Each structure stands twice: as structure tokens, then as C-alpha cells.
Amino acid sequence: KLLRDTRRTLAQMLVGLSPFFLWMFFSLVYYGFVFPNTYYAKLGGTGIFWRFRVTQGIIYILDSWDADPITPFVILVVAFTGLVVGRKVENRERVLLWGGVAGIGLAMAYVLYVGGDFMRGRFLVPIFFWSVLLWDRIPWPQRYLWPALGVLALLGFSGYYPVFNPQRLLMVPDGVRERIWGWDRQGIADERLYYMHHPEVGRRGLVQWRRVRYPKAPFPSSPWQGKRWRFQPERYRVMFPITAGVVGYEAGPNVHVVDAVGIVDPLLARLPAVDKETWRPGHIFRVVPKGYLKALETGNIEDIADPEIRAYYRALSLVVRGPLFSAARWRAIWALNTGRIRPPHQYLQADEQEINRYLKRR
């Protein structure tokens, strides 16, 4: 019976994970990589030492605890209770409980390893959701249940103002309120507060826009809004903003956007960070190789000055731009994903004059 149950569980896991494996297969075929470009921009190619990332990850969890104590508290209580109660239940239920707790532990370890995020609490949301599901599986002893619910009620009351009245925060220290529209020294921002209450860019979120019937559209205007986007080669140009996002939306289909943090650019995402000690999570700046922006503008890879960057980008551009099923592309996919071709750590850098030619200041 145990063998039959194990096979059935494995079959269910395989069915449940099938969308994940199908997406990874599609991603490898179409994009040439299993992971998205943001992985390389934020984690894969930064060169930031793991000790700095873990330190930032601890700060991220502590910051979430200070601003939203309910989320980390529920995660901690469920993990601890699952371990304790799991020793007193039957084998199958113990496997489920301890497996769920192991999932919480692995997810928290990942948050620590990557250094958290720039958006307060975002990386803890899926862990919190999983903890709530696991909460329902725990056969709570009566003596544990009511004290836990009482503490949650107190935490919920304490979290009322930070959630619903962010301009009247109770838990921020003196001096933070003056910096409330930016981010703190650790690079962690209250994105909800920023986009819903900022006097200049705020009230643009869809929920807030609907609540107050904001007279302007919820997104910035664009000459391409509501029209079919048609590429016009004669109007093609390269633009270098600090960050992408709305800038790319407004630019339309004739502009090739290369952002300084590498979120939308495959080459910059794989180059090492400018500063490996002082950095903001999720926004890690790169230095542009000399001639790279011109190469994108002209379509001639030979415009890249550094020979090692030129050779690396030749393989990378074949993967991200070449014919899907050509033999050369798949050889490049194999070489890049197995590390046979790696980006250089030192290279010729674009000077200020070259950057200013393409720079888009917001």
C-alpha cells in the first residue's frame, strides 16, 4: 500500500508540475535560456559575493517584520508548529507537514540568498500564502490554537494604520517620514505608498484611480495608444534610460531600449555589477561596453570595441535574434548555458560622450 500511495503521489506531483516543465521547455526553445532575462540582471551575472546578498536578505526580512508583522509571524508560527505537531501524527500526515515546512525553509533560504527585493514584503507573499494553506493542514492542539489567534488579532490591529493609512504610520522611527517618498538606506521601498499616495506620480494605480475617479488616464499617454504598432525602419533609434518600464511603453516600436540595470538587455544583464558592495536589490547597474550602443543602432557587431565582448555578443545575439531551429543557434545555446562561453569581467567601457548620445533622462 505504501508503494502504491507513493506512486500516486509522484504521479500527482508530475501532473501538477507539468506546466512548469512545459514552460521551461518553451523558454529554452524560444528564448534560448531556461531562466528569464531578469534572473541574469538581478542574480545570475552580478558577481556580488554571497555574504553581501545574505546580509541584505536578513535586512529585508527585518524590514518586513517592522512594517508588516503579520506576514513573518504567520510564517514562523506555522513552520514551528508544523515541526512540533508533525512528530505526533501518523506517517503520511507527518510527511505532508514536514514537507510543507521544508518548502517554507527552502523559500526563506532563497530570499536570504538572493538578498531580498527592493519592494517591501513582495518575496514573502508566496511564502505567506503557502503557510496559510499549511495552517489548514495542521491538527492544532487546543492549547496552541487560541493563543495563536489572539496574537494574530493583536498584530492585525497594530498593522491597521500601516496598511490602510500609510501617511500616518505608527511604526516608523523619526526621520523616515521625511524620506517616505523614496526608499530607505537599504534600498527597500513601500511601493504601495509610492504609487498610490505620491503627490506627483501617485494615484496612478488602477485601484486608487478607480476609487477617486482620477481625471487622468491610469497610464501615461503615448502616440501609440490604441493604435496598431508598426515598425518603421527609417525611424529606428537606440535609447539608453536609467530604467525601462513606462519609458519603453511610451517610446513605441521604433525605439530599442537599453536600460542601465540590464533588465531588458541580454548583454548588460550578464555583465558584472559596477559596485559589488553597495547596491540596491533588483537594480544593479552595469557599465556599457564601448561601441555596444552604436552596434545596436547600426546592426554591425564589429562596432563593439572590445574583442572579447564582441565574440561573446556574437553568440548571444545569435541565440536571442537568430532563426529558432538553426544548428548554429543551438550550438550557441549549448555553449552559453553550459558555461563554455562566458562574458568577460573586464572590458573596454563606453566614455561619457558616447553614453550621453543615447542617454534618456527622465
Side-chain angles (χ1 to χ4, degrees):
K1 181 186 177 185
L2 179 61
L3 181 60
R4 184 172 64 251
D5 290 345
T6 302
R7 287 177 178 174
R8 183 174 60 183
T9 301
L10 291 175
Q12 292 172 344
M13 290 175 59
L14 185 60
V15 171
L17 290 171
S18 59
F20 172 72
F21 291 123
L22 288 173
W23 168 255
M24 293 188 61
F25 175 74
F26 169 79
S27 181
L28 182 64
V29 172
Y30 189 77
Y31 298 107
F33 299 93
V34 171
F35 302 112
N37 197 69
T38 48
Y39 161 78
Y40 299 96
K42 299 184 178 188
L43 300 175
T46 63
I48 297 174
F49 190 51
W50 68 268
R51 179 166 57 86
F52 298 114
R53 297 200 307 269
V54 171
T55 301
Q56 181 65 32
I58 294 172
I59 293 171
Y60 181 75
I61 293 174
L62 293 176
D63 177 86
S64 297
W65 189 288
D66 177 65
D68 171 28
I70 299 175
T71 296
F73 179 79
V74 169
I75 294 171
L76 182 63
V77 167
V78 170
F80 177 77
T81 308
L83 287 176
V84 173
V85 176
R87 299 167 55 189
K88 303 175 182 179
V89 297
E90 61 181 18
N91 289 338
R92 177 178 173 78
E93 197 66 24
R94 182 184 304 130
V95 170
L96 290 174
L97 284 180
W98 284 0
V101 173
I104 292 176
L106 290 172
M108 292 296 290
Y110 172 80
V111 173
L112 289 174
Y113 181 74
V114 303
D117 187 43
F118 68 93
M119 188 181 297
R120 177 172 294 158
R122 177 167 67 163
F123 278 16
L124 297 184
V125 170
I127 308 175
F128 175 78
F129 179 72
W130 177 250
S131 299
V132 171
L133 295 179
L134 192 60
W135 177 296
D136 188 57
R137 299 286 310 190
I138 296 176
W140 287 86
Q142 197 69 17
R143 64 180 182 274
Y144 292 166
L145 180 59
W146 291 110
L149 291 176
V151 173
L152 280 178
L154 290 174
L155 288 172
F157 177 77
S158 70
Y160 173 82
Y161 281 101
V163 173
F164 296 101
N165 294 282
Q167 289 177 311
R168 290 189 290 164
L169 294 174
L170 297 180
M171 293 186 293
V172 293
D174 293 337
V176 172
R177 194 169 283 104
E178 286 71 28
R179 304 192 307 272
I180 201 68
W181 305 121
W183 53 77
D184 60 24
R185 290 180 300 172
Q186 307 301 335
I188 303 170
D190 188 334
E191 294 280 310
R192 176 184 179 276
L193 172 62
Y194 182 78
Y195 285 108
M196 295 187 72
H197 293 275
H198 194 288
E200 295 179 3
V201 303
R203 299 182 181 271
R204 301 292 276 274
L206 287 177
V207 175
Q208 186 75 352
W209 175 73
R210 185 175 180 181
R211 283 178 182 169
V212 301
R213 299 186 181 277
Y214 196 57
K216 295 182 180 180
F219 294 109
S221 59
S222 168
W224 305 100
Q225 189 174 12
K227 301 178 181 179
R228 292 185 62 185
W229 284 21
R230 297 190 179 185
F231 176 64
Q232 299 168 293
E234 68 278 4
R235 299 183 62 184
Y236 174 79
R237 65 187 180 92
V238 174
M239 183 172 68
F240 183 67
I242 301 302
T243 57
V246 173
V247 173
Y249 169 78
E250 291 179 320
N254 302 315
V255 177
H256 185 110
V257 176
V258 181
D259 63 314
V261 293
I263 300 294
V264 301
D265 187 80
L267 177 60
L268 295 190
R270 288 160 175 81
L271 297 180
V274 173
D275 192 332
K276 298 181 178 63
E277 295 187 16
T278 58
W279 49 280
R280 189 186 181 202
H283 295 76
I284 302 171
F285 288 91
R286 268 70 172 198
V287 175
V288 180
K290 185 175 179 61
Y292 175 55
L293 299 176
K294 182 181 179 182
L296 292 175
E297 188 175 56
T298 63
N300 183 12
I301 296 179
E302 299 303 317
D303 285 330
I304 299 176
D306 191 289
E308 292 188 37
I309 288 286
R310 190 164 60 241
Y312 180 77
Y313 185 67
R314 186 173 284 112
L316 183 62
S317 63
L318 180 61
V319 170
V320 300
R321 294 175 177 233
L324 284 181
F325 299 106
S326 69
R329 178 175 182 266
W330 280 93
R331 285 195 295 269
I333 288 174
W334 173 260
L336 289 170
N337 281 280
T338 57
R340 294 190 176 188
I341 300 179
R342 296 178 179 271
H345 293 289
Q346 307 235 343
Y347 50 88
L348 296 175
Q349 301 174 1
D351 55 30
E352 186 177 352
Q353 182 178 1
E354 181 181 350
I355 293 295
N356 286 334
R357 178 183 173 187
Y358 300 95
L359 188 62
K360 165 68 175 178
R361 291 185 174 88
R362 298 191 64 180

